[in-house]
Amino acid sequence: MLSRVQSYSEDGRQMVLWQELGEGAPTLIGFARLCSDALAANYASPLPALSEEALAILYLARRRGAMEIKGVNQAFDSSERFLAVCVELDLDRVFILKRRGDPEQNIRFLDGFRQLCAAGLVMHHLLRDFSLTIRGFEIARSIRREDVPVLAPLAEEQLLDDF
């Protein structure tokens, strides 16, 4: 007996799930869960080793602490549709941790964000919105620009020199 593939128009829940996938919901939920688990645990233990990408995110977020995970699901290039960490530098500027044509580097930044969530340095707020925790701010302020050379090519591409 052949099973019939159910049309999304026949099942509203399937359509909602498809839309959630198109907005990166499973990954966002994963990040939010890591944040929640870390905040619920005693994370006063020694900080694990963090990648240069994780340190770069902390450095960028040291002033405002606000971050968002965004994606562009209509881009032509598949790697341009990947989610990216976006850090608010001030009220009018956002630093996007995504390098055109370098999908591996983009994934490294997402993994750096994962490290920060798991270490209790980032907390989840609403939907795509995250921020540094108090411990995150403290550590972020100890990082120097020279410690994160991975940011230089991105800053050049985004025409930012005062980050």
Side-chain angles (χ1 to χ4, degrees):
M1 178 167 142
L2 294 174
S3 65
R4 183 171 79 85
V5 176
Q6 191 172 21
S7 166
Y8 286 111
S9 62
E10 293 176 23
D11 181 1
R13 180 65 188 142
Q14 290 295 323
M15 183 56 131
V16 169
L17 289 173
W18 186 250
Q19 289 171 333
E20 290 171 352
L21 285 173
E23 295 174 7
T27 304
L28 290 167
I29 290 168
F31 287 148
R33 177 69 186 261
L34 285 171
C35 291
S36 175
D37 290 348
L39 291 173
N42 179 8
Y43 62 89
S45 60
L47 189 66
L50 296 172
S51 67
E52 184 179 344
E53 289 79 9
L55 294 174
I57 295 166
L58 285 172
Y59 173 78
L60 290 170
R62 72 194 181 283
R63 291 186 196 121
R64 290 188 48 83
M67 294 161 276
E68 189 174 2
I69 304 297
K70 286 186 172 185
V72 179
N73 62 8
Q74 299 299 319
F76 179 75
D77 180 352
S78 61
S79 67
E80 291 296 313
R81 293 189 299 269
F82 288 2
L83 292 173
V85 180
C86 303
V87 180
E88 286 184 21
L89 299 178
D90 54 44
L91 286 174
D92 300 320
R93 294 184 312 159
V94 173
F95 197 109
I96 302 169
L97 292 159
K98 190 174 201 176
R99 187 145 192 234
R100 187 178 181 98
D102 194 350
E104 182 177 354
Q105 183 62 60
N106 300 342
I107 296 302
R108 287 181 187 277
F109 280 115
L110 284 170
D111 188 63
F113 187 77
R114 179 200 58 78
Q115 293 170 32
L116 299 175
C117 292
L121 303 177
V122 168
M123 65 187 305
H124 178 253
H125 292 274
L126 302 169
L127 300 172
R128 308 171 182 283
D129 296 323
F130 295 81
S131 77
L132 294 180
T133 60
I134 294 300
R135 187 175 185 204
F137 272 111
E138 291 168 356
I139 293 168
R141 290 186 181 123
S142 72
I143 300 168
R144 298 171 304 145
R145 187 172 178 173
E146 304 83 56
D147 298 332
V148 287
V150 70
L151 291 177
L154 290 167
E156 189 175 305
E157 288 174 7
Q158 296 179 42
L159 304 175
L160 296 171
D161 59 359
D162 62 337
F163 61 94

